[in-house]
Amino acid sequence: MCQPVRVAVSVSAPPVCVLGLGLIGGSLLRAAVAAGRDGWGWNRSAGPVDAARADGFDADTDLVAVLRRAADAGALLVVAVPMPAVDATLAAIAEHAPGCPITDVVSVKAEVAAAVARHGLQDRFVGGHPMAGTNESGWEAGDADLFRDAVWVVSADDGVDPEIWTQVARLALDCGAVVVPAESVEHDAAAARISHLPHVLAEALALSGAAGGDLALGLAAGSFRDGTRVAGSAPGLVRAICEGNRDALLAALDETLDVLARARAELSDEGTLAGLVEPGFEARRRYENRERWTITGIEPGSENWLERMRDAGRRGGVLRP
Amino acid sequence: MCQPVRVAVSVSAPPVCVLGLGLIGGSLLRAAVAAGRDGWGWNRSAGPVDAARADGFDADTDLVAVLRRAADAGALLVVAVPMPAVDATLAAIAEHAPGCPITDVVSVKAEVAAAVARHGLQDRFVGGHPMAGTNESGWEAGDADLFRDAVWVVSADDGVDPEIWTQVARLALDCGAVVVPAESVEHDAAAARISHLPHVLAEALALSGAAGGDLALGLAAGSFRDGTRVAGSAPGLVRAICEGNRDALLAALDETLDVLARARAELSDEGTLAGLVEPGFEARRRYENRERWTITGIEPGSENWLERMRDAGRRGGVLRP
């Protein structure tokens, strides 16, 4: 079984054991190995394992064997299975590699953190979420450069082990990403605003266009095309990410329903949309002009480091290699 | 003064007199001249007129002179001024060229048609709306190819003169567009769904992202970028097109607020978004798979030609050269 890692830069880059070899897990294994890390993977079904092996990677369908190897090597475990499979994966980890540091790449952070706690693994766990993806899925769609310059959220929740936190951040950096430190609940609220709400609005807009029949769809130009683009994503995938972040999405949706209701009243009563359009333009400009700045001088484990990391993340700071 | 035109293909392509030399009017004058039409333009301010002249076009700031010339030549008048200037332009037409055929390119059709009726010009008027544009404006931004393969709605309202209708459709085809016949009120309802509602939702989404601060904006990826793109359009322009189509936009917005409220209830009560996401995906697919088919065999002026044109437009039909 792996021993608790006690810092030192040399041990912050242990081998990586990727559990789940889909688009994200498969890209992560490729990226970690390309960065010089030792790494291997597991997948429940044989197809991705065979494909990974054919591409020269170390992969297996035997979860117990893979986890025991990870325990022996002190590997960083990366949970990269779909949300419905997270519980079973964590149960196996608790049985066969309970001492290994653990992270995940499963999108919604609070739900995963709760599952981790149910299995008593919270002391070894630091959640992660690389904000990258394509419309494709599966090992074959993976790419060692998928995370290049992407944002990778690393959860800065109370009680996390600073050494494991550093290991997870190091993995993200090794994969080419920049790291945003954020509390799980803040991550989920932000993701609802900028990832899940856009899907909900795109679906609603697509429905409005189609309700106008072929005349409306035939007149549609760029604003409709772009506004509905993500409604073309696989429904199962959209539902999984949105439904998995239900509470935060409901809060964001309620806020937006209020905004729209106020705009509706303004348009109906006064004939103007100034109260929506002027601040909406400023909001888009703020998005366009956002800048990443580099967080420096916060040593994981130092006094108030979590509060300082979270504060920096809230203000747009990122960790770079 | 021009005489009422009594069909014959030869007279369906009279000279074109463009009133307003902004992006759309300026592009139209360029496109019509490029197609071999005789054409000239007017603009209230001298800047665009000087620029048009420098580019070799016939343009003037003297509205009375321009309109008298149009009356003498039996020109087709194209109202291409911003909505707030439509009334004054129509008043001048009623005084100086009341016999000329008239069309417009001013977006919302019911509002323009009402203004035309106020000036007693409805017998000479057939509305139009080329679905083309860029984020830029002004004569300099114009392009003879702006309308190439674009959709150009030509209003098929009860009582329109079939000969003027043919002239307006011919102008649109000469400019490289395809023509969609539609009743003004149906055009406006469709435009609310596929052009004005997308702007409203984009503004609301931009506000939700910005309300999440730099953390949320820093995590934003493609779904937020595309979903908020048109919130970057000039607020005055967005307000003008949305507020000008108030009733139709309110109807589309109410429908969408209902859709979102139902989705919210489903997510809250049952934890699922299936009722939104599955049909939303189908709606987007219908948009992606829409096809234009060519309307043939409907002669303007023949029995039930307006009903038949409108029906064809509703079903995705277009007129081609």
Side-chain angles (χ1 to χ4, degrees):
Chain A
M1 183 182 302
C2 57
Q3 298 299 311
V5 180
R6 289 291 168 221
V7 90
V9 172
S10 57
V11 294
S12 73
V16 178
C17 172
V18 182
L19 305 171
L21 296 175
L23 170 69
I24 301 295
S27 296
L28 195 158
L29 180 58
R30 289 177 176 91
V33 169
R37 303 279 292 254
D38 187 20
W40 61 91
W42 165 84
N43 201 79
R44 191 180 57 146
S45 57
V49 167
D50 292 343
R53 286 179 174 170
D55 289 340
F57 291 90
D58 188 347
D60 206 300
T61 58
D62 183 340
L63 182 55
V64 174
V66 163
L67 288 175
R68 286 189 176 154
R69 179 178 170 192
D72 288 344
L76 173 58
L77 299 175
V78 181
V79 177
V81 298
M83 192 65 224
V86 165
D87 248 310
T89 307
L90 292 171
I93 292 172
E95 184 172 354
H96 301 291
C100 284
I102 312 164
T103 187
D104 80 299
V105 290
V106 196
S107 181
V108 178
K109 301 273 56 71
E111 191 175 6
V112 175
V116 165
R118 282 197 299 277
H119 293 278
L121 294 166
Q122 64 276 13
D123 292 346
R124 314 296 299 146
F125 177 76
V126 172
H129 184 207
M131 311 296 286
T134 73
N135 284 333
E136 302 182 82
S137 60
W139 169 270
E140 290 78 4
D143 178 358
D145 286 326
L146 183 66
F147 311 110
R148 186 73 45 200
D149 295 323
V151 167
W152 192 313
V153 175
V154 177
S155 293
D157 293 333
D158 285 339
V160 297
D161 182 319
E163 288 151 30
I164 297 176
W165 200 91
T166 302
Q167 286 185 13
V168 174
R170 169 74 181 267
L171 175 63
L173 298 174
D174 280 351
C175 289
V178 298
V179 168
V180 171
E183 215 170 0
S184 289
V185 67
E186 286 188 274
H187 164 276
D188 292 352
R193 292 179 182 282
I194 53 80
S195 176
H196 307 148
L197 182 63
H199 279 90
V200 167
L201 296 183
E203 307 284 1
L205 181 58
L207 286 169
S208 176
D214 289 332
L215 175 62
L217 294 178
L219 301 188
S223 63
F224 186 81
R225 180 193 64 228
D226 289 357
T228 60
R229 183 181 61 81
V230 294
S233 304
L237 190 66
V238 174
R239 287 184 52 193
I241 63 166
C242 290
E243 294 166 4
N245 198 19
R246 181 169 75 161
D247 291 347
L249 177 54
L250 284 170
L253 185 51
D254 283 344
E255 193 182 287
T256 295
L257 284 167
D258 279 349
V259 165
L260 291 172
R262 280 201 302 276
R264 192 234 178 269
E266 192 187 14
L267 179 61
S268 175
D269 299 347
E270 301 165 43
T272 174
L273 279 172
L276 174 74
V277 174
E278 306 285 347
F281 174 75
E282 292 303 326
R284 166 74 189 188
R285 205 154 68 169
R286 184 172 164 193
Y287 161 70
E288 289 170 356
N289 295 335
R290 74 200 183 285
E291 282 182 11
R292 293 173 180 169
W293 54 273
T294 302
I295 302 170
T296 56
I298 307 177
E299 187 66 28
S302 63
E303 195 176 353
N304 295 326
W305 74 280
L306 277 171
E307 289 80 353
R308 291 161 67 208
M309 282 284 190
R310 294 193 294 238
D311 176 63
R314 272 180 215 120
R315 292 184 290 107
V318 300
L319 293 165
R320 299 184 194 269
Chain B
M1 184 183 302
C2 56
Q3 297 299 310
V5 180
R6 288 293 168 219
V7 90
V9 171
S10 58
V11 293
S12 73
V16 179
C17 173
V18 182
L19 306 171
L21 297 175
L23 171 69
I24 301 295
S27 296
L28 195 158
L29 180 59
R30 288 177 176 93
V33 169
R37 304 279 292 255
D38 187 19
W40 61 91
W42 165 83
N43 201 77
R44 191 181 56 146
S45 57
V49 167
D50 292 341
R53 285 179 174 172
D55 289 341
F57 292 89
D58 188 348
D60 207 300
T61 57
D62 184 339
L63 182 57
V64 173
V66 162
L67 288 175
R68 287 189 175 154
R69 178 178 172 191
D72 288 342
L76 172 58
L77 300 174
V78 181
V79 178
V81 297
M83 192 65 223
V86 165
D87 249 309
T89 306
L90 292 170
I93 292 172
E95 183 172 354
H96 302 289
C100 284
I102 311 163
T103 187
D104 80 299
V105 290
V106 195
S107 181
V108 177
K109 301 271 60 69
E111 191 175 6
V112 174
V116 166
R118 281 198 299 277
H119 292 277
L121 295 167
Q122 65 274 14
D123 293 345
R124 313 297 299 146
F125 177 76
V126 173
H129 184 207
M131 311 294 285
T134 72
N135 282 334
E136 301 181 82
S137 60
W139 169 270
E140 289 78 5
D143 179 358
D145 287 326
L146 183 66
F147 311 109
R148 184 73 47 200
D149 296 323
V151 167
W152 193 311
V153 175
V154 177
S155 293
D157 293 334
D158 286 340
V160 297
D161 182 320
E163 288 151 29
I164 296 175
W165 200 91
T166 302
Q167 286 185 14
V168 173
R170 170 74 182 268
L171 174 64
L173 297 174
D174 280 350
C175 289
V178 298
V179 168
V180 171
E183 215 172 359
S184 289
V185 66
E186 287 189 274
H187 164 276
D188 292 351
R193 292 179 181 282
I194 53 80
S195 176
H196 306 149
L197 182 63
H199 278 90
V200 168
L201 296 182
E203 307 283 1
L205 181 58
L207 285 170
S208 176
D214 289 332
L215 175 63
L217 294 177
L219 302 187
S223 63
F224 186 81
R225 180 194 63 227
D226 290 356
T228 60
R229 183 181 61 81
V230 293
S233 304
L237 190 66
V238 173
R239 287 184 52 194
I241 63 166
C242 290
E243 294 166 4
N245 198 19
R246 181 170 76 160
D247 291 347
L249 177 54
L250 285 171
L253 185 51
D254 283 344
E255 195 182 287
T256 295
L257 284 168
D258 279 350
V259 165
L260 292 173
R262 281 200 302 276
R264 192 233 177 267
E266 192 187 13
L267 180 61
S268 175
D269 299 347
E270 302 165 45
T272 174
L273 279 173
L276 174 76
V277 174
E278 306 285 347
F281 174 75
E282 292 303 326
R284 167 73 190 188
R285 206 155 66 169
R286 184 173 165 193
Y287 162 71
E288 288 169 358
N289 295 334
R290 75 199 183 287
E291 282 183 11
R292 293 173 180 169
W293 53 273
T294 302
I295 303 170
T296 56
I298 308 177
E299 186 67 28
S302 64
E303 194 177 354
N304 295 326
W305 75 279
L306 277 171
E307 289 80 353
R308 292 161 66 208
M309 282 284 190
R310 294 193 294 237
D311 177 63
R314 273 179 214 120
R315 292 185 290 106
V318 301
L319 293 165
R320 296 183 196 271

